[in-house]
Amino acid sequence: MADVLPLVEARLRTALGEPDARAAVTFLGTDRIEVLRFQEGDIVRYATLGMSAQPMSDPTAMLTDAVRGPRAELVLSVRSGLADTGKVLRPLAVLAASPQVEGVVVAPGASLDVGEPLWPGAPFTSVLVAEPGGLVEDLELDEPLDPVRFLPLLPMTPNEAAWKRVHGAQALQERWLTHGTDLRDPSRRSVPLD
């Protein structure tokens, strides 16, 4: 079975250019997770590399399949120079390790919470997992492997996360759209929720 990570990194480089920085984090009992940083104009993108090495498995399944199952990497885009977003590397690696550590399947519409600000002074402690396919196309792998999906992360304030739990991801995204929310602003305020 081919190692998927070199293919994943090649897809990221094709879509986002050359990374200008990378960091690696290893948690006890998990595979190493890298976070690559890509700068494009006033946008900085952070992409995980390592989450897709193993397929995610349903936490209720009696047996896990080492071959079949969804694979994904996470991508966060923010405006540069407005906050110290470089400190997001560890929280992103924590989120990318969550399928291995907690046995969760990360999919569009899910909320992921790190329990602390995503970076110093950030008004966000969680993210909404958005639909893939816009920024980085899915990476098809040889059968029987599932494709690698590159899932955008949209930072949520605690109020937005609570509102999303009640009303759903689609309703929150519509509210952001209605109010013209700049989801790349690392210091934005919560969207009006009443």
Side-chain angles (χ1 to χ4, degrees):
M1 196 68 57
D3 182 5
V4 303
L5 296 184
L7 302 173
V8 170
E9 184 169 353
R11 175 56 54 96
L12 287 169
R13 287 172 184 264
T14 299
L16 305 176
E18 284 299 310
D20 66 351
R22 66 191 310 144
V25 180
T26 305
F27 302 101
L28 187 63
T30 66
D31 295 329
R32 176 174 132 143
I33 303 286
E34 287 189 84
V35 180
L36 310 180
R37 185 180 71 191
F38 301 86
Q39 185 79 39
E40 181 184 330
D42 69 337
I43 302 294
V44 61
R45 302 184 200 285
Y46 300 94
T48 63
L49 179 64
M51 182 176 168
S52 62
Q54 304 294 325
M56 294 180 276
S57 57
D58 183 344
T60 62
M62 293 297 283
L63 295 171
T64 59
D65 191 327
V67 177
R68 288 187 176 89
R71 294 174 188 260
E73 296 291 352
L74 308 175
V75 180
L76 173 69
S77 301
V78 291
R79 296 204 182 285
S80 62
L82 302 177
D84 186 12
T85 58
K87 301 280 198 264
V88 77
L89 302 177
R90 184 167 176 75
L92 267 183
V94 167
L95 296 177
S98 62
Q100 289 181 60
V101 174
E102 300 171 24
V104 297
V105 175
V106 177
S111 299
L112 302 174
D113 196 315
V114 293
E116 61 185 33
L118 291 175
W119 52 82
F124 318 106
T125 60
S126 63
V127 293
L128 174 65
V129 180
E131 290 291 333
L135 189 61
V136 184
E137 288 183 32
D138 291 355
L139 173 63
E140 296 295 330
L141 300 173
D142 293 337
E143 289 291 334
L145 303 179
D146 287 22
V148 177
R149 302 171 86 197
F150 297 88
L151 302 172
L153 300 180
L154 308 174
M156 292 188 293
T157 66
N159 286 345
E160 289 170 338
W163 197 86
K164 181 252 176 197
R165 279 191 294 277
V166 174
H167 300 281
Q170 185 65 37
L172 178 58
Q173 289 178 304
E174 287 172 8
R175 188 158 287 262
W176 282 335
L177 194 59
T178 300
H179 289 273
T181 306
D182 180 2
L183 296 173
R184 295 176 178 169
D185 181 350
S187 55
R188 72 172 179 83
R189 297 186 184 277
S190 183
V191 69
L193 298 171
D194 46 2

Coordinates of all heavy atoms in Angstrom, one line a residue, residues 91-141:
P91 N -3.0 23.9 18.2 CA -4.5 23.6 18.1 C -4.9 22.8 16.9 O -5.7 21.9 16.9 CB -5.1 24.9 18.3 CG -4.2 25.8 19.0 CD -2.8 25.3 18.5
L92 N -4.3 23.2 15.7 CA -4.6 22.5 14.5 C -4.2 21.1 14.5 O -4.9 20.2 14.1 CB -4.0 23.2 13.3 CG -4.8 24.3 12.5 CD1 -4.0 24.8 11.4 CD2 -6.1 23.8 12.1
A93 N -3.0 20.9 15.0 CA -2.5 19.5 15.2 C -3.3 18.7 16.1 O -3.6 17.5 15.8 CB -1.0 19.5 15.6
V94 N -3.8 19.3 17.2 CA -4.7 18.6 18.1 C -6.0 18.2 17.4 O -6.5 17.1 17.5 CB -5.1 19.5 19.3 CG1 -6.3 19.0 20.1 CG2 -3.9 19.7 20.2
L95 N -6.6 19.1 16.6 CA -7.8 18.8 15.8 C -7.5 17.6 14.8 O -8.3 16.7 14.6 CB -8.3 20.0 15.1 CG -8.8 21.1 16.0 CD1 -9.2 22.3 15.2 CD2 -9.9 20.7 16.9
A96 N -6.4 17.7 14.1 CA -6.0 16.7 13.1 C -5.8 15.3 13.8 O -6.0 14.3 13.2 CB -4.8 17.1 12.3
A97 N -5.3 15.3 15.1 CA -5.1 14.1 15.8 C -6.4 13.5 16.4 O -6.4 12.3 16.8 CB -4.0 14.3 16.8
S98 N -7.5 14.3 16.4 CA -8.7 13.8 17.1 C -9.3 12.5 16.6 O -9.8 11.7 17.3 CB -9.7 14.9 17.1 OG -10.1 15.3 15.8
P99 N -9.2 12.2 15.3 CA -9.7 10.9 14.8 C -8.9 9.7 15.5 O -9.5 8.7 15.8 CB -9.5 10.9 13.3 CG -9.6 12.3 13.0 CD -8.9 13.1 14.1
Q100 N -7.6 9.9 15.6 CA -6.8 8.8 16.2 C -7.0 8.8 17.7 O -7.1 7.7 18.3 CB -5.3 9.1 16.0 CG -4.8 8.8 14.6 CD -3.3 9.1 14.5 OE1 -2.5 8.4 15.1 NE2 -2.9 10.0 13.6
V101 N -7.0 10.0 18.4 CA -7.1 10.0 19.8 C -8.5 9.7 20.4 O -8.7 8.9 21.3 CB -6.7 11.4 20.3 CG1 -6.8 11.6 21.8 CG2 -5.2 11.7 20.0
E102 N -9.5 10.4 19.7 CA -10.9 10.3 20.2 C -11.8 9.3 19.4 O -12.9 9.1 19.8 CB -11.5 11.6 20.3 CG -10.8 12.6 21.2 CD -11.3 14.0 21.1 OE1 -12.4 14.2 20.7 OE2 -10.5 14.9 21.4
G103 N -11.3 8.8 18.3 CA -12.1 8.0 17.4 C -13.2 8.7 16.8 O -14.3 8.1 16.6
V104 N -13.1 9.9 16.4 CA -14.2 10.7 15.8 C -13.9 10.7 14.3 O -12.8 10.6 13.8 CB -14.3 12.1 16.3 CG1 -14.6 12.1 17.8 CG2 -13.0 12.9 16.1
V105 N -15.0 10.8 13.5 CA -14.9 11.0 12.1 C -15.2 12.5 11.8 O -16.3 13.0 12.1 CB -15.9 10.1 11.3 CG1 -15.9 10.4 9.8 CG2 -15.6 8.6 11.6
V106 N -14.2 13.2 11.3 CA -14.4 14.6 11.0 C -15.0 14.8 9.7 O -14.5 14.3 8.7 CB -13.0 15.3 11.1 CG1 -13.2 16.8 10.7 CG2 -12.4 15.2 12.5
A107 N -16.2 15.5 9.6 CA -16.9 15.6 8.4 C -17.5 17.0 8.3 O -17.7 17.7 9.3 CB -18.0 14.6 8.3
P108 N -17.9 17.4 7.1 CA -18.5 18.8 6.9 C -19.8 18.9 7.9 O -20.5 17.9 8.0 CB -18.9 18.8 5.5 CG -17.9 17.9 4.8 CD -17.7 16.8 5.8
G109 N -19.9 20.1 8.5 CA -21.0 20.3 9.4 C -20.6 20.1 10.8 O -21.3 20.5 11.7
A110 N -19.5 19.4 11.1 CA -19.1 19.1 12.5 C -18.5 20.4 13.1 O -17.9 21.2 12.4 CB -18.1 18.0 12.5
S111 N -18.6 20.4 14.4 CA -17.9 21.4 15.2 C -16.7 20.7 15.9 O -16.8 19.6 16.4 CB -18.8 22.0 16.3 OG -19.9 22.6 15.7
L112 N -15.6 21.4 15.9 CA -14.4 20.9 16.6 C -14.0 22.0 17.6 O -13.8 23.1 17.2 CB -13.2 20.6 15.7 CG -13.5 19.6 14.5 CD1 -12.3 19.5 13.6 CD2 -13.8 18.2 15.1
D113 N -13.8 21.6 18.9 CA -13.4 22.6 19.9 C -12.1 22.2 20.6 O -11.9 21.0 20.9 CB -14.5 22.6 21.0 CG -14.5 23.8 21.8 OD1 -13.4 24.2 22.3 OD2 -15.5 24.4 22.1
V114 N -11.2 23.2 20.7 CA -9.9 22.9 21.4 C -10.0 23.4 22.8 O -9.0 23.1 23.6 CB -8.7 23.6 20.6 CG1 -8.5 22.9 19.3 CG2 -8.9 25.1 20.5
G115 N -11.0 24.0 23.3 CA -11.2 24.4 24.7 C -10.3 25.6 25.1 O -10.2 25.9 26.3
E116 N -9.6 26.2 24.2 CA -8.8 27.4 24.5 C -8.8 28.2 23.2 O -9.1 27.7 22.1 CB -7.4 27.0 24.9 CG -6.7 26.2 23.8 CD -5.3 25.7 24.3 OE1 -5.2 25.4 25.5 OE2 -4.4 25.6 23.5
P117 N -8.3 29.5 23.3 CA -8.3 30.3 22.0 C -7.4 29.6 21.0 O -6.4 29.0 21.3 CB -7.7 31.6 22.5 CG -8.1 31.7 24.0 CD -8.0 30.3 24.5
L118 N -7.8 29.7 19.7 CA -7.0 29.1 18.6 C -5.6 29.7 18.5 O -4.7 29.1 18.0 CB -7.8 29.2 17.3 CG -9.0 28.4 17.2 CD1 -9.8 28.7 15.9 CD2 -8.8 26.9 17.3
W119 N -5.5 31.0 18.9 CA -4.2 31.7 19.0 C -4.3 32.7 20.0 O -5.4 33.0 20.5 CB -3.8 32.3 17.6 CG -4.8 33.1 17.0 CD1 -5.1 34.4 17.2 CD2 -5.8 32.7 16.0 NE1 -6.2 34.9 16.5 CE2 -6.6 33.8 15.7 CE3 -6.0 31.5 15.3 CZ2 -7.6 33.8 14.8 CZ3 -7.1 31.5 14.4 CH2 -7.8 32.6 14.1
P120 N -3.2 33.3 20.5 CA -3.3 34.3 21.6 C -4.3 35.4 21.3 O -4.2 36.1 20.2 CB -1.9 34.8 21.8 CG -1.0 33.7 21.2 CD -1.8 33.1 20.1
G121 N -5.3 35.6 22.2 CA -6.2 36.7 22.0 C -7.4 36.4 21.0 O -8.2 37.3 20.8
A122 N -7.4 35.2 20.5 CA -8.4 34.9 19.5 C -9.8 34.8 20.2 O -9.9 34.2 21.3 CB -8.1 33.5 18.8
P123 N -10.8 35.3 19.5 CA -12.2 35.2 20.1 C -12.8 33.8 19.8 O -14.0 33.6 20.0 CB -12.9 36.3 19.4 CG -12.2 36.5 18.1 CD -10.8 36.2 18.3
F124 N -12.0 32.9 19.2 CA -12.5 31.6 18.8 C -11.8 30.4 19.6 O -10.6 30.4 19.7 CB -12.2 31.3 17.3 CG -12.4 32.6 16.4 CD1 -11.3 33.3 15.9 CD2 -13.7 33.0 16.1 CE1 -11.5 34.4 15.1 CE2 -13.9 34.1 15.3 CZ -12.8 34.8 14.8
T125 N -12.6 29.5 20.0 CA -12.1 28.3 20.6 C -12.5 27.0 19.8 O -12.1 25.9 20.1 CB -12.6 28.1 22.0 OG1 -14.0 28.0 22.0 CG2 -12.1 29.2 22.9
S126 N -13.3 27.2 18.8 CA -13.8 26.1 18.0 C -13.9 26.5 16.5 O -13.8 27.7 16.2 CB -15.1 25.6 18.5 OG -16.1 26.6 18.3
V127 N -14.1 25.5 15.7 CA -14.2 25.7 14.2 C -15.4 24.9 13.7 O -15.8 23.9 14.3 CB -12.9 25.3 13.5 CG1 -11.8 26.2 13.8 CG2 -12.6 23.8 13.7
L128 N -15.9 25.4 12.6 CA -17.0 24.7 11.9 C -16.2 24.0 10.7 O -15.5 24.7 10.0 CB -18.1 25.6 11.4 CG -19.1 25.0 10.5 CD1 -19.9 23.9 11.2 CD2 -20.0 26.1 9.9
V129 N -16.5 22.7 10.5 CA -15.9 22.1 9.3 C -16.8 22.3 8.1 O -18.0 22.0 8.1 CB -15.7 20.6 9.6 CG1 -15.1 19.9 8.4 CG2 -14.9 20.3 10.8
A130 N -16.2 22.9 7.1 CA -17.0 23.3 5.9 C -16.8 22.2 4.8 O -16.1 21.3 4.9 CB -16.5 24.7 5.3
E131 N -17.6 22.4 3.7 CA -17.5 21.5 2.6 C -16.2 21.6 1.9 O -15.7 22.7 1.6 CB -18.7 21.8 1.6 CG -20.1 21.5 2.1 CD -20.3 20.0 2.3 OE1 -19.7 19.2 1.6 OE2 -21.2 19.6 3.1
P132 N -15.7 20.4 1.4 CA -14.4 20.4 0.7 C -14.6 20.7 -0.8 O -15.7 20.9 -1.2 CB -13.9 19.0 0.9 CG -15.1 18.2 0.9 CD -16.2 19.1 1.7
G133 N -13.5 20.8 -1.5 CA -13.5 20.9 -2.9 C -13.3 22.3 -3.5 O -13.1 22.5 -4.7
G134 N -13.4 23.3 -2.7 CA -13.2 24.7 -3.2 C -11.8 25.1 -3.5 O -11.3 25.3 -4.6
L135 N -11.0 25.1 -2.4 CA -9.6 25.5 -2.4 C -8.7 24.5 -2.9 O -7.8 24.7 -3.7 CB -9.2 26.0 -1.0 CG -7.9 26.7 -0.9 CD1 -7.9 28.0 -1.7 CD2 -7.7 27.1 0.6
V136 N -8.8 23.3 -2.3 CA -7.9 22.1 -2.7 C -8.8 21.0 -3.1 O -9.7 20.5 -2.3 CB -7.0 21.7 -1.5 CG1 -6.1 20.6 -1.9 CG2 -6.3 22.9 -0.9
E137 N -8.7 20.5 -4.3 CA -9.5 19.4 -4.8 C -9.2 18.1 -4.0 O -8.1 17.9 -3.6 CB -9.3 19.2 -6.3 CG -9.8 20.2 -7.2 CD -9.6 19.9 -8.7 OE1 -9.6 18.7 -9.0 OE2 -9.5 20.8 -9.4
D138 N -10.2 17.3 -3.9 CA -10.0 15.9 -3.3 C -8.9 15.2 -4.1 O -8.7 15.4 -5.3 CB -11.3 15.1 -3.4 CG -12.5 15.6 -2.6 OD1 -12.2 16.6 -1.8 OD2 -13.6 15.1 -2.7
L139 N -8.2 14.4 -3.3 CA -7.1 13.6 -3.9 C -7.6 12.1 -4.0 O -7.8 11.5 -3.0 CB -5.9 13.7 -3.0 CG -4.7 12.7 -3.4 CD1 -4.2 13.1 -4.8 CD2 -3.6 12.8 -2.3
E140 N -7.8 11.7 -5.3 CA -8.3 10.3 -5.5 C -7.1 9.4 -5.2 O -6.0 9.7 -5.7 CB -8.8 10.2 -6.9 CG -10.0 11.0 -7.2 CD -11.3 10.5 -6.4 OE1 -11.4 9.4 -6.1 OE2 -12.1 11.4 -6.2
L141 N -7.3 8.3 -4.5 CA -6.3 7.3 -4.3 C -6.7 6.0 -5.0 O -7.9 5.8 -5.4 CB -6.2 7.1 -2.8 CG -5.8 8.3 -1.9 CD1 -5.9 8.0 -0.5 CD2 -4.4 8.7 -2.3

